[in-house]
Amino acid sequence: MNILNYHVPYYWKEFSSLGFDIQLSGHTHGGQFYPVVWFGNLMFKYTKGLFENRLGKYLHVTTGVGSMDAPMRWETESEIVVLHLKKV
């Protein structure tokens, strides 16, 4: 299993085609606060959560525990993600 930690949730398709099975990303902070959540959804195709493509490759985007610029969160969640990987 090949795992890639890439800060921004970009290039998932390209990394999958290079043989990476899982891409772990963050950067979006889930939008961090209202109304930036709307802009985040426009800027990023994947803002938070676990996604699977048709090749069985995964992307996980965490909202993280911190903040950017303004030390606040409003209408978004902080999270610590624990992934349990199983060999199939």
Side-chain angles (χ1 to χ4, degrees), residues 27-29 31-33 36 43 65-73:
H27 182 74
T28 68
H29 297 268
Q32 191 169 327
F33 57 89
V36 176
M43 292 172 53
V65 294
S67 58
M68 180 185 96
D69 297 332
M72 62 180 258
R73 282 192 184 253

mmCIF file of all heavy atoms in Angstrom, residues 27-29 31-33 36 43 65-73:
data_model
loop_
_atom_site.group_PDB
_atom_site.id
_atom_site.type_symbol
_atom_site.label_atom_id
_atom_site.label_comp_id
_atom_site.label_asym_id
_atom_site.label_seq_id
_atom_site.Cartn_x
_atom_site.Cartn_y
_atom_site.Cartn_z
ATOM 1 N N HIS A 27 -5.373 21.351 4.873
ATOM 2 C CA HIS A 27 -5.300 22.708 4.338
ATOM 3 C C HIS A 27 -6.624 23.463 4.343
ATOM 4 O O HIS A 27 -6.632 24.661 4.597
ATOM 5 C CB HIS A 27 -4.722 22.709 2.920
ATOM 6 C CG HIS A 27 -4.568 24.076 2.335
ATOM 7 N ND1 HIS A 27 -3.578 24.934 2.755
ATOM 8 C CD2 HIS A 27 -5.279 24.728 1.391
ATOM 9 C CE1 HIS A 27 -3.684 26.070 2.080
ATOM 10 N NE2 HIS A 27 -4.711 25.976 1.249
ATOM 11 N N THR A 28 -7.735 22.817 4.099
ATOM 12 C CA THR A 28 -9.005 23.532 3.931
ATOM 13 C C THR A 28 -9.612 24.002 5.243
ATOM 14 O O THR A 28 -10.421 24.914 5.253
ATOM 15 C CB THR A 28 -10.032 22.633 3.239
ATOM 16 O OG1 THR A 28 -10.384 21.560 4.116
ATOM 17 C CG2 THR A 28 -9.502 22.093 1.918
ATOM 18 N N HIS A 29 -9.264 23.378 6.346
ATOM 19 C CA HIS A 29 -9.844 23.649 7.666
ATOM 20 C C HIS A 29 -11.361 23.512 7.659
ATOM 21 O O HIS A 29 -12.043 24.050 8.521
ATOM 22 C CB HIS A 29 -9.451 25.032 8.187
ATOM 23 C CG HIS A 29 -7.989 25.206 8.397
ATOM 24 N ND1 HIS A 29 -7.374 24.960 9.597
ATOM 25 C CD2 HIS A 29 -7.008 25.557 7.535
ATOM 26 C CE1 HIS A 29 -6.072 25.181 9.469
ATOM 27 N NE2 HIS A 29 -5.824 25.537 8.232
ATOM 28 N N GLY A 31 -13.321 25.012 5.888
ATOM 29 C CA GLY A 31 -13.871 26.346 5.691
ATOM 30 C C GLY A 31 -13.565 27.270 6.854
ATOM 31 O O GLY A 31 -13.554 28.473 6.708
ATOM 32 N N GLN A 32 -13.344 26.732 8.018
ATOM 33 C CA GLN A 32 -12.964 27.393 9.267
ATOM 34 C C GLN A 32 -14.059 28.244 9.893
ATOM 35 O O GLN A 32 -14.303 28.131 11.067
ATOM 36 C CB GLN A 32 -11.690 28.216 9.120
ATOM 37 C CG GLN A 32 -11.153 28.689 10.457
ATOM 38 C CD GLN A 32 -9.761 29.264 10.367
ATOM 39 O OE1 GLN A 32 -8.965 28.837 9.568
ATOM 40 N NE2 GLN A 32 -9.474 30.229 11.207
ATOM 41 N N PHE A 33 -14.692 29.113 9.158
ATOM 42 C CA PHE A 33 -15.790 29.882 9.750
ATOM 43 C C PHE A 33 -16.741 30.371 8.659
ATOM 44 O O PHE A 33 -16.390 30.481 7.496
ATOM 45 C CB PHE A 33 -15.300 31.048 10.612
ATOM 46 C CG PHE A 33 -14.403 32.029 9.909
ATOM 47 C CD1 PHE A 33 -14.936 33.120 9.244
ATOM 48 C CD2 PHE A 33 -13.035 31.852 9.923
ATOM 49 C CE1 PHE A 33 -14.120 34.018 8.600
ATOM 50 C CE2 PHE A 33 -12.207 32.757 9.279
ATOM 51 C CZ PHE A 33 -12.741 33.837 8.616
ATOM 52 N N VAL A 36 -16.934 31.783 5.107
ATOM 53 C CA VAL A 36 -15.797 31.270 4.341
ATOM 54 C C VAL A 36 -16.037 29.830 3.893
ATOM 55 O O VAL A 36 -15.498 29.384 2.887
ATOM 56 C CB VAL A 36 -14.490 31.400 5.152
ATOM 57 C CG1 VAL A 36 -13.323 30.783 4.431
ATOM 58 C CG2 VAL A 36 -14.215 32.865 5.465
ATOM 59 N N MET A 43 -13.532 26.833 -3.884
ATOM 60 C CA MET A 43 -12.101 26.720 -4.154
ATOM 61 C C MET A 43 -11.620 25.275 -4.224
ATOM 62 O O MET A 43 -10.681 24.969 -4.959
ATOM 63 C CB MET A 43 -11.305 27.454 -3.071
ATOM 64 C CG MET A 43 -11.476 28.945 -3.088
ATOM 65 S SD MET A 43 -10.705 29.750 -1.662
ATOM 66 C CE MET A 43 -9.047 29.130 -1.705
ATOM 67 N N VAL A 65 -7.104 20.476 13.596
ATOM 68 C CA VAL A 65 -7.436 20.923 14.947
ATOM 69 C C VAL A 65 -7.168 22.412 15.146
ATOM 70 O O VAL A 65 -7.612 22.989 16.117
ATOM 71 C CB VAL A 65 -6.649 20.129 16.022
ATOM 72 C CG1 VAL A 65 -7.077 18.696 16.022
ATOM 73 C CG2 VAL A 65 -5.158 20.237 15.815
ATOM 74 N N GLY A 66 -6.457 23.014 14.226
ATOM 75 C CA GLY A 66 -6.090 24.407 14.403
ATOM 76 C C GLY A 66 -6.892 25.342 13.535
ATOM 77 O O GLY A 66 -7.955 25.007 13.019
ATOM 78 N N SER A 67 -6.348 26.529 13.381
ATOM 79 C CA SER A 67 -6.996 27.546 12.563
ATOM 80 C C SER A 67 -5.921 28.272 11.764
ATOM 81 O O SER A 67 -4.735 28.088 11.987
ATOM 82 C CB SER A 67 -7.777 28.525 13.437
ATOM 83 O OG SER A 67 -6.919 29.142 14.366
ATOM 84 N N MET A 68 -6.363 29.101 10.832
ATOM 85 C CA MET A 68 -5.442 29.866 10.000
ATOM 86 C C MET A 68 -5.792 31.338 10.129
ATOM 87 O O MET A 68 -6.967 31.692 10.129
ATOM 88 C CB MET A 68 -5.599 29.414 8.552
ATOM 89 C CG MET A 68 -4.697 30.122 7.591
ATOM 90 S SD MET A 68 -5.068 29.632 5.911
ATOM 91 C CE MET A 68 -6.150 30.962 5.454
ATOM 92 N N ASP A 69 -4.809 32.174 10.250
ATOM 93 C CA ASP A 69 -4.979 33.617 10.374
ATOM 94 C C ASP A 69 -5.832 33.970 11.599
ATOM 95 O O ASP A 69 -5.297 34.245 12.644
ATOM 96 C CB ASP A 69 -5.552 34.233 9.105
ATOM 97 C CG ASP A 69 -4.613 34.061 7.916
ATOM 98 O OD1 ASP A 69 -3.393 33.973 8.145
ATOM 99 O OD2 ASP A 69 -5.088 33.991 6.785
ATOM 100 N N ALA A 70 -7.153 33.961 11.472
ATOM 101 C CA ALA A 70 -8.027 34.276 12.610
ATOM 102 C C ALA A 70 -8.108 33.046 13.526
ATOM 103 O O ALA A 70 -8.492 31.974 13.078
ATOM 104 C CB ALA A 70 -9.419 34.643 12.122
ATOM 105 N N PRO A 71 -7.733 33.194 14.798
ATOM 106 C CA PRO A 71 -7.733 32.028 15.707
ATOM 107 C C PRO A 71 -9.145 31.676 16.197
ATOM 108 O O PRO A 71 -9.470 31.822 17.370
ATOM 109 C CB PRO A 71 -6.835 32.482 16.853
ATOM 110 C CG PRO A 71 -7.023 33.965 16.886
ATOM 111 C CD PRO A 71 -7.252 34.383 15.448
ATOM 112 N N MET A 72 -9.999 31.256 15.260
ATOM 113 C CA MET A 72 -11.381 30.937 15.616
ATOM 114 C C MET A 72 -11.948 29.913 14.644
ATOM 115 O O MET A 72 -11.422 29.725 13.558
ATOM 116 C CB MET A 72 -12.245 32.187 15.571
ATOM 117 C CG MET A 72 -12.306 32.815 14.190
ATOM 118 S SD MET A 72 -13.305 34.279 14.107
ATOM 119 C CE MET A 72 -14.779 33.640 13.383
ATOM 120 N N ARG A 73 -13.023 29.262 15.075
ATOM 121 C CA ARG A 73 -13.813 28.384 14.210
ATOM 122 C C ARG A 73 -15.278 28.688 14.490
ATOM 123 O O ARG A 73 -15.660 28.883 15.630
ATOM 124 C CB ARG A 73 -13.540 26.916 14.515
ATOM 125 C CG ARG A 73 -12.252 26.417 13.918
ATOM 126 C CD ARG A 73 -12.220 24.907 14.029
ATOM 127 N NE ARG A 73 -10.979 24.400 13.553
ATOM 128 C CZ ARG A 73 -10.825 23.750 12.395
ATOM 129 N NH1 ARG A 73 -11.850 23.511 11.633
ATOM 130 N NH2 ARG A 73 -9.659 23.335 12.020
#
